[in-house]
Amino acid sequence: MKTYKAINFAEKLNLFSEQWSPKVIAELNDYQFKIVRIEGDFIWHDHPDTDEAFIVLDGELRIDFRDGSITVKPGEMYVVPKGVEHKPYAAKEVRMMLIEPRGVLNTGNEGGERTAQNDVWI
């Protein structure tokens, strides 16, 4: 008989400590649910072919845009539309979930040292 188990975000987040390195916890069709820890400043980037959902589980996330910013608090989410340049920032560690299609790099087409390995399951 198959065993069914809910995915617990806190348990999954406790399995790793590195930041800016999203981990896949589930897939829905071609979309991945990723959890990540971040702190500090990221890089300006966009995703030309897809929207990107940020769901804050713990901490306070600021997403900067070229013409303003938004603050996302625990229990809130924000969807960055495809093609919109943005830069996540966290003054203190933020634990959050990202929802995006399989294969999307965290730095878009920008590359660099903040580009995380893709499709890492936890």
Side-chain angles (χ1 to χ4, degrees):
M1 177 185 238
K2 183 170 171 90
T3 303
Y4 296 93
K5 185 175 185 317
I7 297 169
N8 183 288
F9 303 142
E11 285 177 10
K12 294 289 188 180
L13 282 158
N14 285 333
L15 294 176
F16 67 99
S17 60
E18 65 264 35
Q19 296 182 337
W20 303 105
S21 183
K23 311 291 185 207
V24 181
I25 59 170
E27 281 187 340
L28 174 70
N29 300 316
D30 294 332
Y31 279 78
Q32 291 184 326
F33 293 77
K34 301 174 181 179
I35 54 172
V36 66
R37 296 167 171 261
I38 68 164
E39 186 171 353
D41 227 352
F42 201 52
I43 63 168
W44 285 103
H45 70 285
D46 69 349
H47 303 283
D49 300 319
T50 185
D51 301 334
E52 182 178 27
F54 292 82
I55 301 170
V56 175
L57 304 172
D58 186 46
E60 192 170 288
L61 172 70
R62 187 182 80 214
I63 305 173
D64 294 327
F65 302 98
R66 292 296 185 180
D67 60 353
S69 67
I70 185 168
T71 298
V72 187
K73 298 179 180 181
E76 295 181 337
M77 70 177 285
Y78 185 78
V79 177
V80 176
K82 68 181 171 184
V84 174
E85 198 174 18
H86 60 286
K87 180 174 67 68
Y89 170 78
K92 296 180 180 175
E93 186 175 79
V94 170
R95 297 172 181 201
M96 66 180 169
M97 180 184 303
L98 305 170
I99 303 173
E100 55 197 13
R102 184 184 311 118
V104 171
L105 289 176
N106 64 329
T107 53
N109 295 328
E110 296 302 315
E113 65 182 34
R114 284 282 171 96
T115 302
Q117 184 180 347
N118 218 354
D119 211 31
V120 175
W121 284 76
I122 194 165

